[in-house]
Amino acid sequence: MKDKNLRIVILVIIAVLLTHYGLKLYQAPLETYTWTELLINYAAGFIRRGLIGKIAYWISPYLSVKFFLSASITLCYLIHLILYSQIAKKIETFEWALFALSPAAFLFPVYDFDAFGRKDVFLILIFMISFLLILKNVKLTITLPAILSLYQIGVLIHEYALFYFPFAIFLILVCYRKAPSRQLIFIAAAGVLFMLVNLYGLYAFSRRYYNLDLIAESWVGLIKDYDLTPQSGAFGWMGIPLKDGLQPVFDKLSYPRTFFSYIAGMALALIPSILLNARYRILDTLREEYQSAPWKLYAFGLILLVSLPVFMFGSDWGRLTNLFSINIFLSLVVLRESFQSENTAEVSAAGSHFYRTAAILMVVLYAFTWHIKHYVDGDHIALQQGLLFQIFHWL
């Protein structure tokens, strides 16, 4: 009961922070990058990432676009917390709290307001619903079509969804491993086809419609008596000249302080996943399950490696770290449930008080001493000081 109350308190605190920043988003000027990205729509033709803007376009005659989108985004953030409480309810409170308070998880858009309200909020909702379906072992005839549909919607919201789709396919293949081999082969083939068709479609459509004027025209009439100005960042990387698209990434690679600060942030983001796996030996159990067919493990590895090239095409490495940390941690949670992995880190009665004290101290230090910026350019540092440093500064 004590642990349950602690979890509720943590979720309520995060929910209050997210609601506060939802109000801040509503008050932010439309010229900010977040709003210009959100409002791209199909009014002037097919433009990538236009689905959310199209829905707002349909709503605009009846409801303020800013209110509708701010409320929808805030609601999505709050649903994330509800789904997390359902997906991760059976894991130990230490790892649960460490991830919940991770600056690379739910608090990521709070620490860096420039990341608040980005379309990632809708993608994370899609990830979590998909993982919940797999966790609950819903029938394959429902799960597979539902996940394909969800990720297809995600691709129309933001192409990043496509690069996290392999996590869903991997979990289906493992968690439904007792299904007939013919079904599993079909699922793998359907996943590959889904990726290829969407990659080709996004690239082809983007080349055809890569036109700054069309994006500006898509905003016309969306908000009465308001003209938005195009921002180059809102056009993404698919369909634009390769050199232009990769230049921000090369910039990061050429500045050691920028590159290694992101690497450090990525390592910090993985700590909850590493500790969760250490407690339940999830990956060891996975290897034992497939020891008679090791080629399947290599196949799973190749499936997940498909996600990594997004780092070579996306310049917002902080956002990518946020999305990866959520996918990796929740994937481990789902695998733990599928394998019914037991806790291998039992603490003796004599050491329980010391363990709790050490766990609380670690959560505080981990959660409030650092955060990672969603994007930095030039020779800037992505890893930033957290709340504890700010408190010391105020004092």
Side-chain angles (χ1 to χ4, degrees), residues 48-49 159-160 163 199 235-240 245 310 313-314:
R48 287 182 310 97
R49 311 179 183 180
E159 65 275 3
Y160 278 177
F163 291 93
L199 281 170
F235 311 129
W237 47 267
M238 282 191 161
I240 69 174
V310 70
F313 295 98

Side-chain angles (χ1 to χ4, degrees), residues 98-112:
L98 200 64
F99 180 77
L101 293 172
S102 170
F106 305 120
L107 289 177
F108 175 70
V110 171
Y111 269 112
D112 187 355

Side-chain angles (χ1 to χ4, degrees), residues 104-140:
F106 305 120
L107 289 177
F108 175 70
V110 171
Y111 269 112
D112 187 355
F113 182 66
D114 287 340
F116 192 97
R118 296 295 182 88
K119 292 175 179 176
D120 306 345
V121 62
F122 303 107
L123 302 189
I124 293 171
L125 182 62
I126 288 169
F127 302 155
M128 297 184 85
I129 292 173
S130 300
F131 289 0
L132 187 62
L133 288 172
I134 298 170
L135 179 76
K136 297 296 185 182
N137 202 32
V138 177
K139 289 194 299 184
L140 263 177

Side-chain angles (χ1 to χ4, degrees), residues 47-250:
I47 304 171
R48 287 182 310 97
R49 311 179 183 180
L51 182 59
I52 296 299
K54 184 61 177 178
I55 295 172
Y57 190 88
W58 287 331
I59 296 292
S60 60
Y62 315 103
L63 193 65
S64 161
V65 170
K66 287 194 73 175
F67 174 79
F68 169 72
L69 288 177
S70 298
S72 299
I73 288 166
T74 304
L75 181 62
C76 279
Y77 279 125
L78 298 180
I79 294 175
H80 292 174
L81 301 180
I82 296 172
L83 291 176
Y84 177 63
S85 68
Q86 291 298 308
I87 294 172
K89 64 182 177 181
K90 293 185 179 181
I91 68 171
E92 293 295 318
T93 298
F94 172 52
E95 286 81 10
W96 185 98
L98 200 64
F99 180 77
L101 293 172
S102 170
F106 305 120
L107 289 177
F108 175 70
V110 171
Y111 269 112
D112 187 355
F113 182 66
D114 287 340
F116 192 97
R118 296 295 182 88
K119 292 175 179 176
D120 306 345
V121 62
F122 303 107
L123 302 189
I124 293 171
L125 182 62
I126 288 169
F127 302 155
M128 297 184 85
I129 292 173
S130 300
F131 289 0
L132 187 62
L133 288 172
I134 298 170
L135 179 76
K136 297 296 185 182
N137 202 32
V138 177
K139 289 194 299 184
L140 263 177
T141 51
I142 298 174
T143 298
L144 182 61
I147 288 177
L148 289 174
S149 299
L150 285 169
Y151 277 82
Q152 188 61 67
I153 293 170
V155 172
L156 295 175
I157 293 173
H158 198 296
E159 65 275 3
Y160 278 177
L162 196 59
F163 291 93
Y164 297 91
F165 175 68
F167 282 94
I169 288 297
F170 162 71
L171 288 176
I172 292 175
L173 293 174
V174 175
C175 296
Y176 292 87
R177 56 192 175 278
K178 295 181 181 178
S181 298
R182 187 174 299 178
Q183 284 189 19
L184 297 179
I185 292 171
F186 172 79
I187 290 167
V192 171
L193 183 63
F194 179 86
M195 291 285 293
L196 292 176
V197 169
N198 274 283
L199 281 170
Y200 175 78
L202 282 172
Y203 184 76
F205 276 117
S206 293
R207 285 189 64 85
R208 180 177 178 184
Y209 289 104
Y210 179 64
N211 184 313
L212 306 190
D213 293 333
L214 284 180
I215 292 182
E217 289 172 17
S218 79
W219 289 324
V220 173
L222 185 58
I223 297 178
K224 187 177 180 181
D225 300 326
Y226 204 101
D227 294 325
L228 293 173
T229 304
Q231 296 186 40
S232 59
F235 311 129
W237 47 267
M238 282 191 161
I240 69 174
L242 187 61
K243 180 179 179 297
D244 295 341
L246 294 179
Q247 190 59 51
V249 180
F250 291 145

